[in-house]
Amino acid sequence: MTSAHSRCRRGSPTHSSPKRKHRSSCQPADHKCSTKKRAGRSLFIEQIFPHVQTTPDYAPLPTQITTHLAVYSYAIINEGDAPAVIQAQVGPDGKHFAADVEETILPGETGVIAIARFLRFTRLAIRSLHADKPTTVSVYFQAQTVR
């Protein structure tokens, strides 16, 4: 058996010496292996962007740092009379972003966007589907983290 397979065997020697107890290099000497999981507490986070007016070009909403979030998504409510195009964008540094998921939200509809790819920063960009028909949307960013 390799040492990688025997890391959590209490009292098993790592070498031929029976006096020496197993010790992982990343754990303290008194570490005891356990399969119990700690009960994590979740924290709910919400940020609301009410009544955002669309334009013919993509206009980004403020950026969220999503590194520490376990789950997050955006709810978009189209309150106007024209379709809106919503594009989720991810970026490594808060300055450079790439398109991730895009969805068209019809008037009176509610859409949900969940990010498909992970990078440290996330934001939505919004535009009108038709250049001459702006609309109004409200956006809810909701997230959950475990600490």
Side-chain angles (χ1 to χ4, degrees):
M1 190 180 314
T2 66
S3 62
H5 290 106
S6 63
R7 286 193 181 175
C8 279
R9 294 181 59 140
R10 287 189 216 147
S12 66
T14 55
H15 299 297
S16 59
S17 170
K19 294 180 184 178
R20 190 169 179 183
K21 303 271 184 188
H22 168 72
R23 181 176 165 197
S24 173
S25 61
C26 62
Q27 297 294 335
D30 62 346
H31 170 75
K32 293 187 177 167
C33 296
S34 173
T35 58
K36 293 180 185 177
K37 294 182 180 178
R38 286 189 216 170
R41 293 184 295 177
S42 78
L43 177 67
F44 176 78
I45 298 167
E46 181 177 62
Q47 194 170 9
I48 302 170
F49 305 97
H51 314 298
V52 178
Q53 292 288 325
T54 62
T55 63
D57 299 316
Y58 278 114
L61 293 178
T63 301
Q64 284 83 34
I65 299 172
T66 52
T67 304
H68 63 287
L69 302 175
V71 170
Y72 56 95
S73 57
Y74 295 88
I76 303 95
I77 302 167
N78 188 339
E79 302 166 335
D81 297 328
V85 179
I86 312 299
Q87 184 180 81
Q89 301 174 341
V90 294
D93 58 5
K95 294 179 185 175
H96 302 93
F97 287 89
D100 184 46
V101 178
E102 185 172 291
E103 188 172 327
T104 299
I105 311 294
L106 299 175
E109 300 272 323
T110 299
V112 176
I113 291 183
I115 307 305
R117 294 180 279 180
F118 175 81
L119 284 175
R120 183 175 180 197
F121 297 92
T122 306
R123 71 180 184 189
L124 285 190
I126 301 170
R127 71 173 176 86
S128 304
L129 180 62
H130 307 292
D132 60 338
K133 294 183 181 178
T135 192
T136 302
V137 299
S138 287
V139 177
Y140 292 78
F141 172 76
Q142 296 182 343
Q144 188 174 31
T145 183
V146 177
R147 45 177 196 157

